[in-house]
Amino acid sequence: MTQIFGASSTTEDVLSGVSLKGKRVLVTGVSAGLGVETARALAAHGAHVVGAARNLTKAQSATTQVRADAERGGGTFELVALDLADLSSARACADQLNATGLPFDLVIANAGVMATPFGHTKDGFETQFGTNHLGHFVLVNRIAGLLRTGARLVNVSSAGHRFADVDLKDPNFDHTPYDPFIAYGRSKTANILFAVAFDARRRARGVRATAVHPGVILTELTRYMPAGGVEAMVARINEQAAADGKPPFQFKTIPQGAATSVWAGVVAEADAVGGHYCEDCHVSPVVPDDQAIDLVSEGVRAYALDPVHAEALWAKSEEMVGEKFS
């Protein structure tokens, strides 16, 4: 990590001078937003990118620029079907990828939903935990054998993990009043803990895993927020910023938001990011669970990096999906 990047760095900044020719990458959630830009940047620098999406028609339209930049940069791009809210789809996607026998150098688990109304996936899991965590848990573990030595897993999490730790006793809100952002927080904490446990299992053979917060970006992820919800959130943030003598909040652009995934996946040193949580193209400091923290300040909660907690989530996840993974 000889060059220093930060919150304003873009995917092109991070990948300047980097050739990814011969590298093969899987990116989930390529029908909009960060997933599209992540795939575009990697393919533009020569990578062979497999993009996964639930709606292939939408993804085909959204990735026109991805294919154009791939052709110019010497990369390739293809689509595969994946509905993370349906474990049969996650398993079918894994089967399709395994059938090719083609290895991966990088998997970016980018797809997700935020603050959805209360509901369940096809398999009966709370929507956000089931989609954001369990769908990826099954997919990634089923294709783990395709990860080359030196490969990486990047789980796209969020500062929203601070809303809540995982609840292993009531993951589906069967006994807890549902709150869309508490549910989102649980799922984003799960993304980090999954990376911690996966890294612990795979690093001996040179495969590392990390989790990232892309920043606050206006994408389709906000579609379930009530009218005026984003504006109200920004107003609260700016009120606190003014009281603290800080400048007003600014949204990241999509290329800035995708930069940390790309940085953690191909630019950062593996030992620096493996088993950690990153934001703004650097490893985040750990903030004790009892210390106050606001939505836009840096830091990861200690509970999200606890290896014992990560193992407990792994065991619970195996129980919920009915599969064991080494």
Side-chain angles (χ1 to χ4, degrees):
M1 291 184 288
T2 56
Q3 187 169 353
I4 303 300
F5 301 106
S8 62
S9 298
T10 66
T11 49
E12 289 305 321
D13 294 332
V14 167
L15 290 177
S16 177
V18 175
S19 173
L20 298 175
K21 292 186 186 300
K23 302 294 185 182
R24 195 159 179 268
V25 182
L26 173 65
V27 181
T28 68
V30 297
S31 61
L34 296 178
V36 173
E37 172 58 19
T38 301
R40 186 209 63 77
L42 295 167
H45 285 261
H48 303 288
V49 179
V50 179
R54 179 182 60 83
N55 186 331
L56 291 182
T57 301
K58 180 181 178 182
Q60 185 74 19
S61 176
T63 54
T64 300
Q65 193 64 50
V66 178
R67 288 187 293 277
D69 284 11
E71 186 174 353
R72 279 193 293 270
T76 63
F77 179 73
E78 63 180 291
L79 286 168
V80 294
L82 171 66
D83 182 353
L84 290 165
D86 179 354
L87 292 186
S88 67
S89 175
R91 289 169 178 136
C93 182
D95 289 346
Q96 181 181 347
L97 295 172
N98 282 320
T100 70
L102 297 172
F104 285 108
D105 298 278
L106 172 62
V107 173
I108 300 182
N110 165 83
V113 293
M114 181 180 78
T116 61
F118 183 60
H120 296 90
T121 66
K122 184 177 179 181
D123 303 278
F125 308 125
E126 184 276 315
T127 298
Q128 297 186 76
F129 190 79
T131 303
N132 297 347
H133 170 57
L134 292 175
H136 279 126
F137 181 77
V138 167
L139 174 70
V140 170
N141 276 311
R142 279 182 160 240
I143 63 169
L146 295 177
L147 297 179
R148 287 194 238 249
T149 299
R152 300 185 195 182
L153 166 66
V154 176
N155 283 346
V156 178
S157 180
S158 169
H161 79 274
R162 303 168 188 161
F163 293 139
D165 191 2
V166 293
D167 185 338
L168 302 183
K169 294 182 178 178
D170 188 24
N172 295 318
F173 287 85
D174 293 327
H175 310 290
T176 309
Y178 182 75
D179 179 286
F181 279 100
I182 294 298
Y184 181 64
R186 290 182 182 184
S187 73
K188 295 290 103 178
T189 295
N191 291 153
I192 305 170
L193 291 170
F194 175 31
V196 170
F198 193 86
D199 186 79
R201 282 167 167 74
R202 301 285 169 174
R203 62 185 171 220
R205 73 173 188 87
V207 175
R208 306 307 301 267
T210 189
V212 304
H213 167 47
V216 184
I217 310 107
L218 284 175
T219 69
E220 288 189 4
L221 198 64
T222 63
R223 63 186 176 273
Y224 293 107
M225 292 186 70
V230 173
E231 293 80 2
M233 178 191 72
V234 172
R236 289 194 300 272
I237 291 170
N238 284 336
E239 182 179 350
Q240 185 60 52
D244 295 340
K246 297 179 181 178
F249 166 79
Q250 287 187 316
F251 287 103
K252 281 190 178 185
T253 65
I254 288 176
Q256 289 171 338
T260 302
S261 292
V262 172
W263 173 83
V266 301
V267 177
E269 294 174 7
D271 287 341
V273 298
H276 293 286
Y277 168 93
C278 308
E279 58 190 322
D280 295 340
C281 298
H282 61 255
V283 175
S284 304
V286 177
V287 179
D289 297 346
D290 60 355
Q291 181 177 320
I293 188 171
D294 63 52
L295 186 61
V296 295
S297 57
E298 290 190 351
V300 55
R301 286 298 191 192
Y303 58 68
L305 292 175
D306 183 335
V308 175
H309 203 31
E311 288 303 317
L313 172 65
W314 188 286
K316 183 64 177 180
S317 301
E318 288 181 326
E319 174 191 319
M320 293 177 75
V321 304
E323 289 189 73
K324 290 281 189 179
F325 300 108
S326 59

